[in-house]
Amino acid sequence: SIRKFKSCQIRKEELDAVLEAAKYAPTGGGRQGNLFVVAQDSALRKQLAKLNAAVLGKDFDPYYGAPTIILVFADGTRSTPVEDGSIALGNLFNAAHALGLGSCWIHRAREMFASEEGQALLKRWGGEDRYVGVGACSLGYPDGDLPTPPPRKVRVVIAQ
């Protein structure tokens, strides 16, 4: 997870590749019920940051200054919205890393878009009220060295 980003925007080709990976994430029953909203406009970014921080009752940028935010929504009327949106986010992060981009999972999308202001934004973007926020991806060029991952705590059970 990257928590410090350069201010310059990512290239369109990089954004397209990351979104393409997200679109190909598996979904329950193959229904493809995810919705992705990309925020690169600074005013919208600030609005989203304020809305997200308000869930915690704080005033900060929970997106760590990333120039791009990808919000992931899933169809809440289906039986697997959290799973569908989560695996799409996983694909976003893997694609970002493969392209040399930095990313970080940001929580509180469910609470943000359950609010009146969040519902108004979702409606403005063409999302119906059946969509629920699953998470967000902060995306950009890392500002600094990549963190060294801690050793994995792998537990494997082989049943015979």
Side-chain angles (χ1 to χ4, degrees), residues 15-116:
L15 176 61
D16 290 345
V18 169
L19 289 170
E20 191 71 6
K23 290 190 299 185
Y24 276 90
T27 58
R31 293 185 190 105
Q32 301 180 38
N34 291 328
L35 171 67
F36 307 101
V37 174
V38 177
Q40 293 183 311
D41 173 76
S42 62
L44 178 57
R45 270 198 80 281
K46 287 178 186 175
Q47 182 180 10
L48 293 172
K50 184 177 178 184
L51 192 56
N52 188 303
V55 173
L56 297 175
K58 296 183 178 181
D59 182 20
F60 73 112
D61 180 4
Y63 300 104
Y64 302 105
T68 298
I69 300 166
I70 301 175
L71 301 163
V72 178
F73 299 89
D75 186 340
T77 65
R78 306 234 169 110
S79 61
T80 57
V82 173
E83 295 84 350
D84 292 351
S86 294
I87 199 162
L89 279 157
N91 277 18
L92 285 170
F93 302 132
N94 287 330
H97 181 74
L99 293 168
L101 299 172
S103 64
C104 188
W105 180 304
I106 307 299
H107 289 287
R108 297 172 294 281
R110 182 179 310 267
E111 296 89 346
M112 289 171 62
F113 291 96
S115 73
E116 188 175 317

